[in-house]
Amino acid sequence: MPLVSARTRLATVSALTAFGAFASLGTATAATPALNGAWGPFTRCPVDASTMLAADGLDKAPQCVVSYATSGSIKLGNTTVITGSSNLQMGVVQNADGTNTVVPPASGAIIADSATVPGGLLGLMCPSNIPGISTICKQLADAKLNKITATLESVGTPSNFDQIAGVLTDQTIVHIPVRIHLENPFLGSNCYIGTKQNPIVLKPKNLDYPAFSVELFNGDGSPNEEGEMSRLNMLGSTQIDTSFAVPGASGCGLGLFGLIDAAVNLKTGLPSAAGKNSLTLNNTQTYLGGLYAPGTSAPDAGKRFAQNWHSAVK
């Protein structure tokens, strides 16, 4: 087994203390830059946000956090949907007093692949004895009219980020406000489960311990055991949440005065109280990156961090 340098061992301990881990939910592919080397996962880190740039390296240290999974499932009331790729990214400014400030990307913390709702609209609201809805149900033999896609969307800034919980089990890592966009010709374009004012708040935690490692690298992402950057890798854990409540669907239907909302909610068991819903994310991959010794870049650590990120863009 190769010897590990004292500097790398110190980086491991400091990374655990300074970073902690993060949980994920939702992501897909968007138009994002490709980054070199160890910067690779951090495609949407908001390094140019004013809060990140203002981090001095002494009282405030800038970091990037990424967590993603390629598969999972989410149960809302009576309906379970198998999810595809999910990706959560954010900036975090760690404060000297142990608190932190979360900074989401302009595109939102979560980008998620759309998932197909089992049974489509037939499964979501039919059969129904609600006038108007029963007429729609009769038309759903057409597979294109029946299909429903569900997409997880960010509706605010994540909060209550616990930088230690990510290396533990059964501890909430972060609160993530989201809504789910349901899309189908009969549902219209504004059909959501959860809203900006009343979101679903996911609180993922590790079911098992992730594999842990640390690597040091240069500002441009190239490997270097004496580099100015460090990345904490926390890989392979299953993340779950059974604590979140789910509000009813709203905004669904084309001028039917809430009838489709009512039909969807009745069939799917929404709103659904905490404890009756669940989230599972398989084989999560979490990365936390920052300046190895941010104090050496004071008072311009945030600017140095952003400069390094941009130098890694291919």
Side-chain angles (χ1 to χ4, degrees):
M1 179 179 295
L3 294 176
V4 179
S5 71
R7 192 171 194 267
T8 300
R9 289 196 297 270
L10 178 59
T12 300
V13 175
S14 63
L16 278 170
T17 302
F19 294 141
F22 199 79
S24 109
L25 173 66
T27 176
T29 55
T32 55
L35 298 176
N36 181 56
W39 275 113
F42 304 102
T43 55
R44 296 190 296 116
C45 187
V47 295
D48 295 320
S50 58
T51 301
M52 296 283 284
L53 291 172
D56 61 3
L58 298 174
D59 294 325
K60 299 179 182 296
Q63 302 166 359
C64 290
V65 180
V66 178
S67 188
Y68 66 86
T70 57
S71 67
S73 63
I74 186 167
K75 178 179 179 291
L76 308 174
N78 301 328
T79 301
T80 298
V81 176
I82 302 301
T83 61
S85 295
S86 62
N87 181 284
L88 176 66
Q89 298 199 34
M90 66 181 191
V92 175
V93 174
Q94 295 289 354
N95 302 316
D97 63 2
T99 63
N100 58 64
T101 301
V102 175
V103 183
S107 59
I110 293 174
I111 296 177
D113 281 340
S114 296
T116 300
V117 177
L121 202 56
L122 277 169
L124 203 63
M125 70 179 195
C126 300
S128 175
N129 57 8
I130 299 175
I133 304 302
S134 56
T135 301
I136 292 176
C137 291
K138 293 177 182 178
Q139 302 178 51
L140 294 180
D142 185 325
K144 291 182 180 179
L145 294 178
N146 185 47
K147 181 180 179 181
I148 295 179
T149 59
T151 307
L152 192 73
E153 299 178 355
S154 293
V155 290
T157 301
S159 62
N160 298 305
F161 174 58
D162 186 338
Q163 60 180 357
I164 300 300
V167 299
L168 305 175
T169 60
D170 201 34
Q171 300 291 323
T172 298
I173 302 169
V174 67
H175 293 191
I176 311 168
V178 301
R179 64 182 179 182
I180 296 173
H181 191 187
L182 301 177
E183 295 178 274
N184 169 277
F186 286 110
L187 297 180
S189 60
N190 295 301
C191 182
Y192 291 94
I193 299 174
T195 65
K196 292 181 179 180
Q197 295 73 30
N198 185 26
I200 301 167
V201 181
L202 301 172
K203 304 171 186 176
K205 58 185 68 175
N206 288 327
L207 181 63
D208 46 19
Y209 291 102
F212 159 71
S213 64
V214 171
E215 57 190 284
L216 302 182
F217 59 101
N218 293 321
D220 65 358
S222 58
N224 182 358
E225 288 191 2
E226 302 298 323
E228 66 173 306
M229 302 295 301
S230 65
R231 190 181 84 177
L232 174 64
N233 308 315
M234 308 184 70
L235 311 176
S237 63
T238 298
Q239 293 178 348
I240 61 170
D241 181 20
T242 59
S243 68
F244 59 96
V246 180
S250 61
C252 306
L254 303 174
L256 292 182
F257 306 104
L259 292 181
I260 291 184
D261 292 347
V264 169
N265 290 334
L266 181 65
K267 185 71 182 291
T268 57
L270 299 179
S272 181
K276 296 183 178 181
N277 315 291
S278 64
L279 166 73
T280 300
L281 296 168
N282 302 319
N283 190 28
T284 59
Q285 309 291 300
T286 301
Y287 303 93
L288 301 102
L291 294 163
Y292 171 72
T296 61
S297 297
D300 296 318
K303 295 176 182 178
R304 180 64 177 174
F305 189 65
Q307 177 184 354
N308 287 349
W309 185 91
H310 284 286
S311 74
V313 174
K314 294 181 180 179

